[in-house]
Amino acid sequence: MLMRRGYHRAALLAVLLSAAVAAGPGTGHATGDPGPDGGGEVRRSGVVRGGSGPVPDAVVTVYEAGTRSGDRPRRLGGTRTDDRGRFRVAYAPPRDPGAVVYLTADAPPADAAAQAAADPAGRDRRTPPATTPPVRFAAVLTGAPGGPEQPLGVTERTTVAAGSALAQFTRDGAFAGPAPGPRNAASVAHNLADVHTGGVSAFLAAPPNGARTSTLRTFNSLADALAACTARAEDCAELFDAARVAGGERPRDTLQAVADIARAPAGSPGRIFALAERHPVYAPALDTAPTAWTLALRYEGNGHEIDGPGNIAFDRGGDAWIVNNYVYGADRRDPVCGGHELLRLRPDGRDAPGAPYSGGGLYGAGYGVAIDRTGDVWATNFGFQAQGCALDPARLFRSVSQFDPRGRALSPPRGWRQGGYVQPQGALVGRDGTLWVANCGSRSVTRVPGARPDRAVNVPVADGRLIKPFGVSLDGRDRAWVTGNGSDSVAVFAPDGTLERTVTGGGLDKPLGIASDSRGNQWVSNSGKVPAPCEDATPRQLADAVGPAGGPPAEGASVTLIRPDGSTPARPFTSGSLTMPWGIAVDGSDTVWVADFSGRRVTRLCGVRTEACPPGHRTGQPISPATAGYGFDGLVRNTAVQIDPSGNVWLTNNWELVPVQTNPGGRQLVVFVGLATPVRTPLIGPPRAL
C-alpha cells in the first residue's frame, strides 16, 4: 500500500495549514532593515507548522544567500511566530536582482515550545535563544510563484525541498555559493514543494512525476523523518547521526541534515526510514527503506517536443541544450523521422523563450552537442530516424548545425558540410576554441579551429585504429581523446590534429562515452555490448544486440581509466551497478558518473582525488550502492549524463525499455536533485568546479 495510515492525518493537516495561512499572521513583532534608499520594504506573512501542529515562538529570519562558497548569508529581517505559529515579517529586498532570498524558522526546544504554548502571555519576544535550536525549517522565496501578498506555509516539506535543491550550497544550515548555482537550485526547490501551502508542488504531484515514480513517496518520507525530529528531541539526535556524511561533521539542525542526506544519500537509509515510520504524517510515503535517499524529477518540456534525447550541454546560465534523435510522435506505431528541433530547458524544466529551435540543417542529432566560448551551440547531424521513415538519411548525415545563444540558426539550410562529416556523433570544444567532432561513419574526426566552419579539416585514421568514432573529450593540453566503438580503442590527437597514439587494452570493450577529469585523466565507459549504429549497422541491429533492459551486466561492462601518458591500470573498474555503460561525466570534485543503457540507474565512482571520496575509498570504487547504483523507476534507457552548475545530475531517457522501432524514443530528461559537485558551464575542455 502506497498510502499509509498517515494519509487521513496528512489531509487534515493540509486543511488546518490552509486555514491558518488564510487567517493571517498573529501579533508577532516584525523587524526589517531599510531598503537601499531607506524604503521599499517587502512584507510577508505566513505560518510555521510541523507534522505535530503549529510551531509557536519560532525565530523567523529572512536571509540573502552568500555569493561565494563559505560566505555567511545577510540577514534582511526577522520576527517570531505567535502561539498559533503565525508570523508577519518585513525586510529590505537585496540590491542584487539575482540574489537568492530564503526564510528560516528556528523552533524552540520541545520543552520550551510546550511551555510557550501553555503560557503564551509569559513569553519574552525580545530575548533570542542562546543557541540555534536543532529544528530549522526553511522555505525558498526567490522564484516562488505568485507575489509577496500571498501568505507562506513553512513546513517539513518546504525544508526538504530547500535543503535538497541547495544541498551543494548548504553549510551550517545556511546557503551560499557562486552564480548561477544557488539561483538555479532555488527554482528546482519549487518543483518539490509549494511555499504558499507548505505542501507538495503541483509539478511533483502530477505526471510525468506524481504516482508514476517513487519520488513523491520518497519526498514525503524524508519530510516524515524531519517531523519525527520536530516532535521529539531524542529523534533529532538519531536523525543527525544518520545524516552525518562519512568523514564530515555531524549536522546541528534539520536543514543541514537534509542537505547532508542529499549529498550522501546512501549513508544510512534504514535508520532514516525507521525515523519516518515513527511519525507518519505525510502521504503517500514509502513502504520500505530505499537503497538511497535520492530525489529525481522527470522533465518533459512542453509535453510534445522530446523524443529520443541524445545528449545535453549546459550554457553559462545553466540552461540545458538537448539534441533530439527523432521528431516527436504521439503514436508509437507511426514511423518518425529525424528530429529537427534543438531543445532548451531552464533548470526547472520549463522551455526557454522561443524554444525549441529549428533550422540550420538540423536532422536526427544523436550524441553530439557542444557550446563554444561565444555561447554558440553546435549539434552533430547523425541522421537518426526510425524504421519506416521514407527519407534518405545519407543526404542528411553529412553536416553539423550552429545556433547562436538565442537559438537562431547560423548554419545554412543543409548545415555546415566542409570537413568531411559522416554520421557525426560526439563533439566538444577545447580551451583553444577548437571544435572536435567524431565521425562515426567514416573512421575520422573533424577539427574546426576557432569553431570556424570554413576552416574545418577532416582527419582520417587508417589501419583500423579508430573504427566507429563516438565520444570526444578534451584534456587541459587541448588534446582530443576519441573513443572507437568498433575498434575497442581510444585515439589521442594533438591540438594541431596530429594523431599521437591509439590506446588499446585496459578493458576497452565497445567504448562509447569518454570524459576528462581536471588532472587530464580520461574515463571511458565500456558498454561491452552496444554496437554504434553507424557505418553498416542500424538501430534495429542495436536493439537486437543489447536485448531486454534489466538483464545481467554485459560481459565487458566497465569503466577504463587512461592516464595522461596513455597508460591504463591492468584491469578496468567494474561494479554490479554497471550493466551497460554509455554516457559518462566528471563533476567538480573529479568523481565519475556513469549512465546505464540497461539498468535504469546512474553509478558514481571515486575519482583520482580520493580525498573527495568517502574515507577509505579507492579510485574506481563505487560511491553509490555497489549493486544498485542510484536507481530510479522513472529512468528508461539512458545514453548521456551531465552535471549542471547546481550539482544536479541530468540523464537522457533516450530509448524506451521496449523500443518499438517505428518510434523508440524516450520522452523525458531525468534530473537527480543536488547530488553532485557543481561544474562551471559551458564545459570547455576538462571540468572546472563552480
Side-chain angles (χ1 to χ4, degrees), residues 307 327 329-337 386-388 660-664:
D307 199 324
V327 65
D331 192 333
R332 296 287 183 187
R333 298 167 297 180
D334 292 339
V336 293
C337 292
Q387 182 176 302
V660 178
Q661 288 303 302
T662 49
N663 186 355

Side-chain angles (χ1 to χ4, degrees), residues 30-36 39-44 60-66 72-79 89-96 99-104 141-142:
T31 61
D33 299 330
E41 280 190 336
V42 177
R43 297 183 180 275
R44 303 300 300 257
V60 175
T61 312
V62 178
Y63 291 104
E64 175 186 352
R72 298 303 302 168
R74 186 167 74 94
R75 182 182 183 278
L76 301 177
T79 187
V89 64
Y91 62 92
R95 292 179 173 86
D96 179 6
V100 172
V101 178
Y102 66 99
L103 178 150
T104 63
L141 305 186
T142 294

Side-chain angles (χ1 to χ4, degrees), residues 112-129:
Q115 181 181 358
D119 183 19
R123 287 175 292 161
D124 182 358
R125 295 184 176 276
R126 297 168 298 175
T127 305

Side-chain angles (χ1 to χ4, degrees), residues 26 64 80 152 177 198 205 270 286 313 320 341 364 399 411 415 533 590 595-596 653 668 670 677:
E64 175 186 352
R80 287 199 188 187
L152 300 170
L286 296 173
E341 291 183 329
S399 69
S411 47
D590 278 338
D596 203 289
N653 267 351
Q668 303 95 21
V670 169
T677 306

Side-chain angles (χ1 to χ4, degrees), residues 103-157:
L103 178 150
T104 63
D106 291 329
D111 54 351
Q115 181 181 358
D119 183 19
R123 287 175 292 161
D124 182 358
R125 295 184 176 276
R126 297 168 298 175
T127 305
T131 59
T132 301
V135 177
R136 170 165 287 187
F137 295 88
V140 176
L141 305 186
T142 294
E149 69 281 354
Q150 289 190 258
L152 300 170
V154 184
T155 65
E156 285 99 356
R157 279 169 162 164

Side-chain angles (χ1 to χ4, degrees), residues 70 309 549 646 679:
S646 297
V679 171

